[in-house]
Amino acid sequence: MEPHQNTGDDRDPGLQPERTRLAWRRTTLAGTIATVLAVKAALNGGPDAPGITVAALSCALWLAFLAVAHSRIRVLAEGGEPTTLTPRHAGTAALCTVALAACAVALIL
């Protein structure tokens, strides 16, 4: 019996683009919640300059991540074979995520 060889032409992506699109949406929602909580924590006990700065930075990072996520969601929703995520977009998404986590740590300390 000969093993099945996948040449790439007979690839059936199935629902993988749909699952990936939904994962981007869930991650965007999680970032939204984290940003709202960061703003709430920054303003808890009265606004101060460092808290407002971290809250504004969190909002900017969220907007940057949102831009990358929605561009990716659009590509995945178009149907057909989606293009691969560019290293620049992947790096931006990762950087925004890590920086948002750093903002959360700064607000806690």
Side-chain angles (χ1 to χ4, degrees), residues 64-78:
F65 182 83
L66 191 65
V68 171
H70 278 284
S71 71
R72 190 64 190 156
I73 288 168
R74 275 194 304 275
V75 167
L76 293 168
E78 289 175 355

Side-chain angles (χ1 to χ4, degrees), residues 24-39 58-59 62-63 65-66 70 100:
W24 276 103
R25 287 195 182 271
R26 285 190 306 270
T27 305
T28 302
L29 178 61
T32 303
I33 293 168
T35 302
V36 168
L37 291 174
V39 170
S58 296
C59 290
W62 173 74
L63 287 173
F65 182 83
L66 191 65
H70 278 284
L100 191 57

Side-chain angles (χ1 to χ4, degrees), residues 11-24 72-73 75-82:
R11 182 179 178 269
D12 178 18
L15 294 175
Q16 182 176 357
E18 175 73 9
R19 288 190 305 268
T20 304
R21 186 177 62 80
L22 291 171
W24 276 103
R72 190 64 190 156
I73 288 168
V75 167
L76 293 168
E78 289 175 355
E81 184 76 26

